[in-house]
Amino acid sequence: MQRTRMFQKLSLAMLGFGLAAGAAAADIKLGAAEALTGPAAKYGIAIKNGFTLAADEINAKGGVNGNKLALVAEDEQGKKEEAINVFKKLIFQDKVLLVFGPTLSNSAFAADPIANAAKTVVFGTSNTADGVSAIGPFVFRNSVMEADVLPVTTRAAVKQFGIKKVAIVYGNDDAFTKNGYDVFKSALESQKIAVTNTETYAKGDVDFKAQLTKIKAANPDAIVCSCLAEEAANIIVQTRSLGMKQPFIGGNGFNSPKLFEIAKDAADNTVMGSPWSAENQAPANKSFIAAYKAKFNAEPDQFAAQAYDAMYIVADALKKVKLSGSLDKDRVALRDALPNVKHDGATGKFAFRRAKDKSGKDAGYDAQQDAIVNIAKGGKFVLLK
Amino acid sequence: MLEQQLINALSLGSVYALFALGFTLVFGVLGVINLSHGAIFMLGSYVALLLVNHFAMSLWLALLLAMLTTGLVGLLVDFLVLKPLRARNAPHLTPMIATIGVAIILTSVAQGLFGAENKRFPFGTIPEGSFTLGNLHVTAVQLGIVLISFLLMIVLLLVMRRTQLGRALRAIAESPKAASLLGINVEGLFLLTSFAAAALGGAAGVLVGLSFNAISPFMGQPMLHKGIAVIILGGMGDIRGALIGGLFLGFAEVMSVAYLSSDFRDAVAFGLLFLILLVRPSGMFGKILERKA
């Protein structure tokens, strides 16, 4: 009798063990195609860190419905061609459930159609250009579009400094900075702010003095700059070296510790709108910052924060998905679960908003989130009240 | 504003000229378009940055040591890559392609060691001084770049024109074989040239790093493109040509921004380059199909 019961227990335990082993084998593979080398690596690496941190936290708490999240990160080098290759590898070879990335909007336009055609969710955490989510119904992003952030930023700056006329500087050979310029331009038009002159530069330029000298002659009240952090910092430094004191108005690209590493307090009075701020004291954000610093021994930035939130958003959606084991079905099930996720994370309250394509039909999903307007004081951004 | 733009043009042009100096020297003597010059230039600014950051070295000393280090790297590149190709009588294109490989390796190594992001010299190490004359602003670094470019160029010209060494180098430029028959140590002078050219490239890197706060593993690539344009414009292998060509490109770029639109900057600069080459296919100082040091 005793023996039979023991045997029963043992077989039950073995059954349980077998089940557990089966579940462990069903790790949920999530792909990340980010620029881990090349000029965009500063964003890509922060993004990968954000994913890793969130996935580790989720796994440490038992994963999603008992399944562990496994991140498959690949380097797309910030190049369109590489992004396409890496997307194909992740989707068809590694058979991931979802692809995060790519890092740049430029690459998203090239690679996202592949994921969309393969009915696999592509989740951008750093693509802010217009039209990315118009690619198709499998395209998601939690990066707030410039079109939502910049008008709020200019309005706040105009109020702060009593601005009547501005000059604009932007990089004209990059989807992100060009798109930022378009948004700024229409925002300035609708807010009836005159533009004295519009100057451009190309990727890799380091000397902006010719353009800035021209702006100096026009003497605007502020300089609107649709640039990435390092160019922005150099533009600010060179503006000051020409004896100009105008405040700067910038977009997402300004939101990096790099800005102050290069420009220091020359950047004071720069007004910048962003979806994330290190100054945001919400508990989710504070714990994110502390965990990031502890794990990577570096200051997190907006890109890490958005990636971190994205992983939690996907985990939330996965909780509602009953994995069938058929990759195609599970990919579509995840796609159907994602739009209902509401999240309150490091970047604040978040929901998805349906995007339209060019013909007005429903396409992918954009972020519905409020922008935070910051102003630079003493070498860092503080909230602009 | 014209005065300010002239100063902008002079300092930008001097940067191009300084970069092109080493580039053109290698072509003049070795007959090789050394496409790793951009990477060497990048290396120069990192070496100076490291020395200033970790050993709190003065800028002048860091500049000299950076020149020495990049010179040695240039020497190594010559010894490991160019020399074996010379020994095998490889056609002209081969060393050029090989140096692309060198550039990729150096860039990747720099990225692995220092990361992809832009670095700058720490605050307080760069002379922050600037001179203000009415509406005119000139920074000490700008002035330094112009002076050092001209100084290095004059030294190089004097060595080439007035010394026994220069005479030997010019003989090699005419014909390495004939020079060697005359008892000139051709291989030794090739190595010396590679060293000097790389040291000049390193110096340009340090100065650009100082003035633009944008030290990154990729800083050499755009400069390389401009450098190629400059030495073609000036006449391949000609030292005066490198200076004039550099200044010309700087002025063309700045003036097209000032009086047309920044959108047209490269179009105007390179359009002018094309026009000049139509009139003088060998560049401003070059002679057709003849190398000249």
Side-chain angles (χ1 to χ4, degrees):
Chain A
M1 193 62 202
Q2 194 74 17
R3 186 170 285 178
T4 27
R5 199 170 287 162
M6 270 268 291
F7 182 69
Q8 273 174 349
K9 264 190 186 163
L10 201 67
S11 55
L12 265 177
M14 275 172 76
L15 194 69
F17 188 74
L19 276 177
D27 271 2
I28 301 176
K29 272 209 260 181
L30 302 172
E34 304 291 351
L36 304 179
T37 60
K42 51 190 168 284
Y43 307 114
I45 288 170
I47 292 169
K48 188 185 159 211
N49 288 350
F51 290 143
T52 311
L53 179 62
D56 286 357
E57 285 180 7
I58 293 165
N59 288 340
K61 286 183 201 137
V64 178
N65 300 339
N67 296 322
K68 292 265 189 299
L69 299 179
L71 187 70
V72 187
E74 289 283 341
D75 179 16
E76 48 96 351
Q77 299 175 18
K79 292 178 189 158
K80 284 185 254 188
E81 305 77 18
E82 275 310 309
I84 291 173
N85 287 339
V86 167
F87 265 54
K88 285 184 177 162
K89 175 177 180 292
L90 288 171
I91 293 171
F92 301 114
Q93 202 175 317
D94 296 331
K95 305 200 181 301
V96 297
L97 196 57
L98 158 154
V99 182
F100 287 113
T103 303
L104 302 179
S105 298
N106 240 352
S107 313
F109 286 116
D112 285 6
I114 294 169
N116 193 63
K119 296 204 186 309
T120 304
V121 171
V122 51
F123 194 139
T125 65
S126 56
N127 313 138
T128 51
D130 254 340
V132 170
S133 50
I135 290 169
F138 283 82
V139 181
F140 288 72
R141 58 176 162 184
N142 72 333
S143 35
V144 184
M145 279 195 303
E146 299 281 273
D148 289 332
V149 177
L150 301 184
V152 182
T153 314
T154 38
R155 205 168 296 124
V158 164
K159 208 175 123 210
Q160 177 78 6
F161 296 109
I163 293 162
K164 303 243 164 14
K165 52 179 183 171
V166 297
I168 307 180
V169 188
Y170 74 100
N172 64 355
D173 57 351
D174 177 87
F176 168 75
T177 53
K178 169 71 171 65
N179 174 66
Y181 162 71
D182 292 337
V183 175
F184 266 128
K185 190 166 164 257
S186 70
L188 291 166
E189 260 166 32
S190 72
Q191 291 166 32
K192 308 231 164 5
I193 306 293
V195 175
T196 55
N197 43 347
T198 303
E199 300 297 331
T200 60
Y201 62 85
K203 250 184 207 156
D205 280 3
V206 288
D207 187 352
F208 309 94
K209 288 213 177 73
Q211 290 93 319
L212 295 172
T213 303
K214 224 172 143 188
I215 290 178
K216 188 182 181 188
N219 195 25
D221 301 326
I223 299 172
V224 169
C225 183
S226 178
C227 321
L228 299 178
E230 287 157 351
E231 289 146 354
N234 266 323
I235 288 173
I236 292 171
V237 170
Q238 289 176 25
T239 306
R240 304 295 175 239
S241 83
L242 286 169
M244 300 155 75
K245 304 214 159 38
Q246 283 90 343
F248 275 79
I249 303 171
N252 244 337
F254 277 59
N255 195 13
S256 158
K258 277 281 143 202
L259 187 75
F260 298 108
E261 273 170 39
I262 295 172
K264 228 177 178 178
D265 40 18
D268 271 12
N269 284 334
T270 296
V271 177
M272 177 271 298
S274 75
W276 178 80
S277 163
E279 300 291 310
N280 177 7
Q281 298 298 323
N285 194 39
K286 276 166 87 176
S287 81
F288 158 70
I289 294 174
Y292 191 95
K293 275 186 193 161
K295 192 170 176 85
F296 302 108
N297 194 22
E299 295 288 328
D301 61 9
Q302 166 208 332
F303 300 98
Q306 285 175 318
Y308 176 83
D309 278 2
M311 185 59 85
Y312 271 101
I313 290 168
V314 169
D316 269 8
L318 281 171
K319 274 182 200 153
K320 311 256 161 52
V321 175
K322 215 167 160 289
L323 292 174
S324 67
S326 150
L327 189 61
D328 291 342
K329 272 189 203 149
D330 289 347
R331 280 173 171 170
V332 174
L334 175 59
R335 146 80 186 75
D336 295 336
L338 262 176
N340 304 318
V341 175
K342 304 261 186 295
H343 185 68
D344 191 357
T347 60
K349 284 198 168 40
F350 172 87
F352 281 112
R353 180 179 70 202
R354 194 90 213 227
K356 306 268 186 213
D357 67 8
K358 282 198 190 87
S359 57
K361 276 204 306 238
D362 281 348
Y365 288 85
D366 287 326
Q368 179 68 49
Q369 207 169 21
D370 288 333
I372 301 169
V373 181
N374 308 269
I375 188 163
K377 290 283 177 215
K380 64 175 202 169
F381 279 120
V382 295
L383 302 184
L384 178 64
K385 299 265 160 51
Chain B
M1 283 299 118
L2 178 63
E3 306 86 346
Q4 183 71 51
Q5 292 291 24
L6 286 175
I7 288 173
N8 295 341
L10 186 64
S11 76
L12 182 64
S14 303
V15 169
Y16 291 156
L18 187 56
F19 178 84
L21 219 51
F23 205 19
T24 208
L25 182 66
V26 168
F27 183 81
V29 177
L30 276 71
V32 168
I33 297 182
N34 184 350
L35 294 180
S36 69
H37 200 62
I40 299 260
F41 158 87
M42 172 272 296
L43 221 54
S45 56
Y46 270 110
V47 171
L49 180 67
L50 275 183
L51 292 175
V52 169
N53 257 346
H54 291 283
F55 303 100
M57 213 170 262
S58 81
L59 272 182
W60 288 108
L61 203 56
L63 174 68
L64 284 178
L65 282 177
M67 286 177 74
L68 188 69
T69 315
T70 51
L72 289 176
V73 173
L75 199 67
L76 209 63
V77 170
D78 188 279
F79 189 74
L80 293 178
V81 180
L82 299 179
K83 192 170 177 235
L85 290 173
R86 278 198 298 272
R88 285 173 180 73
N89 263 330
H92 273 308
L93 275 179
T94 319
M96 188 172 98
I97 303 300
T99 54
I100 294 182
V102 173
I104 294 174
I105 293 171
L106 289 178
T107 309
S108 309
V109 167
Q111 199 188 338
L113 286 178
F114 309 115
E117 73 271 16
N118 284 20
K119 297 256 160 63
R120 68 159 287 160
F121 282 93
F123 285 87
T125 53
I126 306 177
E128 299 280 346
S130 67
F131 311 93
T132 310
L133 253 174
N135 242 340
L136 226 58
H137 290 264
V138 189
T139 61
V141 178
Q142 265 180 313
L143 209 62
I145 286 191
V146 175
L147 291 179
I148 292 178
S149 304
F150 276 80
L151 183 77
L152 286 175
M153 198 207 50
I154 290 168
V155 168
L156 200 58
L157 265 183
L158 283 179
V159 169
M160 280 302 195
R161 293 288 150 91
R162 295 269 182 270
T163 65
Q164 194 63 34
L165 174 67
R167 208 163 291 138
L169 285 173
R170 278 182 289 150
I172 295 177
E174 290 294 327
S175 161
K177 225 170 238 161
S180 138
L181 287 175
L182 288 170
I184 296 172
N185 178 359
V186 175
E187 269 309 317
L189 287 183
F190 274 170
L191 287 172
L192 181 69
T193 305
S194 290
F195 175 85
L200 286 170
V206 177
L207 292 176
V208 167
L210 278 174
S211 73
F212 299 123
N213 302 314
I215 302 172
S216 90
F218 315 101
M219 64 191 284
Q221 198 59 37
M223 197 51 99
L224 189 69
H225 296 164
K226 299 275 162 80
I228 293 174
V230 165
I231 68 168
I232 291 175
L233 185 64
M236 302 284 282
D238 192 280
I239 291 165
R240 283 166 309 160
L243 181 86
I244 309 273
L247 290 178
F248 176 86
L249 191 63
F251 273 87
E253 286 189 359
V254 169
M255 290 308 151
S256 58
V257 170
Y259 293 105
L260 292 162
S261 149
S262 31
D263 278 328
F264 299 143
R265 192 176 70 161
D266 286 355
V268 170
F270 287 92
L272 278 174
L273 176 85
F274 173 66
L275 282 181
I276 288 181
L277 291 179
L278 270 187
V279 182
R280 284 192 64 90
S282 54
M284 290 191 280
F285 293 92
K287 294 188 187 123
I288 294 171
L289 292 181
E290 187 188 80
R291 287 189 269 121
K292 191 175 156 194

